[in-house]
Amino acid sequence: MNIFDLSGKTALVTGCKRGIGKAMAVGLAEAGADIIGVSASLESKGSAVEKEVTALGRSFSAYACDFSDRGAVYSFIEAVNATHPHIDILVNNAGTILRTPAADHPDDYWDKVIEVNLNAQFILSREIGRRMVERGSGKIIFTASLLTFQGGITVPGYAASKGAIGQLTKALANEWSGKGVNVNAIAPGYIATDNTEALRQDETRSRQILERIPAGRWGDPDDFKGPTVFLASEAAAYVHGATLLVDGGWMGR
């Protein structure tokens, strides 16, 4: 359907090297968008995500950026604005998680998670979003989490950052929805990615998780292609400040 067509659009996807971010980038390319990809260790040429995107006939521009380094974030923004002054879609997917019980959770764990998961995402949204507001169009999509709604265990920094992403999504939508910019979020449930490897290897915890998921399975990164294309397209023109759960029914249980 034409309302989902992203031909002629350019999408910037952070954390695109693997997992959910890679699937998001490929899904957007399948819908017709050219992709700017950035991850902390993304290869300048020949990455798996680049190969999949270019095989679809779309262009791929690769950048590496350490989102825990404020200076590196600003340098990346300067570089990408110079080469791609018109970005239609921003997907703030890059994130990190560090696990330690709250009583022992060190400052450096807290600081790194907040910097990557919240501060860098606000800076990117402000700097890229400013241009969207000026021209009266654009789509911004955050990757939230089940911990946008729940507290989690042994991940206080991650829970705080993802709770804040839910509020930031609404705050930006409140300011920019009347200026042609849609700001929304996607909250993944338990997905088979690197971040959940330890949980999936824990036989007891994995069983407990699966027993609560009404869909009866771990999510797959490809489950995020459709929701991402939807929020990036004209199909979601009247969707603002929403957090779309992609969780196999977890939060409805």
Side-chain angles (χ1 to χ4, degrees):
M1 296 177 65
N2 288 339
I3 57 172
F4 295 100
D5 183 16
L6 300 178
S7 298
K9 304 293 186 182
T10 297
L12 168 57
V13 183
T14 73
C16 70
K17 185 173 181 177
R18 57 185 179 270
I20 292 172
K22 178 171 174 282
M24 288 172 155
V26 172
L28 291 168
E30 288 173 342
D34 292 318
I35 305 298
I36 305 164
V38 55
S39 288
S41 58
L42 185 64
E43 302 92 331
S44 60
K45 292 289 184 183
S47 66
V49 62
E50 177 181 4
K51 289 175 182 176
E52 290 194 39
V53 168
T54 55
L56 295 165
R58 311 315 313 162
S59 69
F60 184 87
S61 301
Y63 290 85
C65 179
D66 177 0
F67 290 104
S68 69
D69 181 338
R70 185 76 60 92
V73 172
Y74 277 108
S75 294
F76 163 68
I77 292 168
E78 181 178 3
V80 79
N81 276 337
T83 56
H84 298 84
H86 188 115
I87 294 171
D88 302 285
I89 302 156
L90 169 62
V91 180
N92 281 307
N93 173 72
T96 190
I97 187 167
L98 295 171
R99 301 177 185 274
T100 304
D104 303 312
H105 207 78
D107 287 357
D108 59 329
Y109 273 30
W110 176 273
D111 291 343
K112 181 173 182 178
V113 171
I114 295 297
E115 193 66 32
V116 173
N117 292 6
L118 181 60
N119 295 344
Q121 298 200 25
F122 170 69
I123 292 168
L124 276 169
S125 299
R126 183 189 64 205
E127 299 302 310
I128 303 297
R130 180 185 295 119
R131 295 189 174 202
M132 293 178 175
V133 169
E134 288 172 354
R135 65 174 180 267
S137 67
K139 309 281 186 175
I140 297 176
I141 303 166
F142 290 96
T143 296
S145 169
L146 292 181
L147 298 197
T148 300
F149 310 96
Q150 301 175 322
I153 300 170
T154 74
V155 287
Y158 185 83
S161 70
K162 291 301 184 177
I165 285 297
Q167 293 303 104
L168 180 59
T169 297
K170 288 181 268 190
L172 295 181
N174 286 344
E175 293 194 39
W176 294 348
S177 59
K179 299 177 180 178
V181 179
N182 296 74
V183 185
N184 295 289
I186 295 173
Y190 285 93
I191 313 301
T193 66
D194 292 349
N195 276 356
T196 60
E197 178 68 23
L199 289 175
R200 286 182 288 119
Q201 294 302 318
D202 183 329
E203 184 176 336
T204 300
R205 189 76 180 101
S206 181
R207 186 189 71 253
Q208 292 170 339
I209 289 168
L210 285 173
E211 286 174 348
R212 173 166 170 168
I213 299 172
R217 67 172 176 88
W218 287 80
D220 186 88
D222 282 354
D223 290 323
F224 293 85
K225 288 182 175 182
T228 303
V229 170
F230 166 63
L231 290 177
S233 73
E234 285 308 300
Y238 199 57
V239 181
H240 296 280
T243 297
L244 175 60
L245 284 157
V246 183
D247 66 348
W250 175 279
M251 287 299 296
R253 191 67 176 263

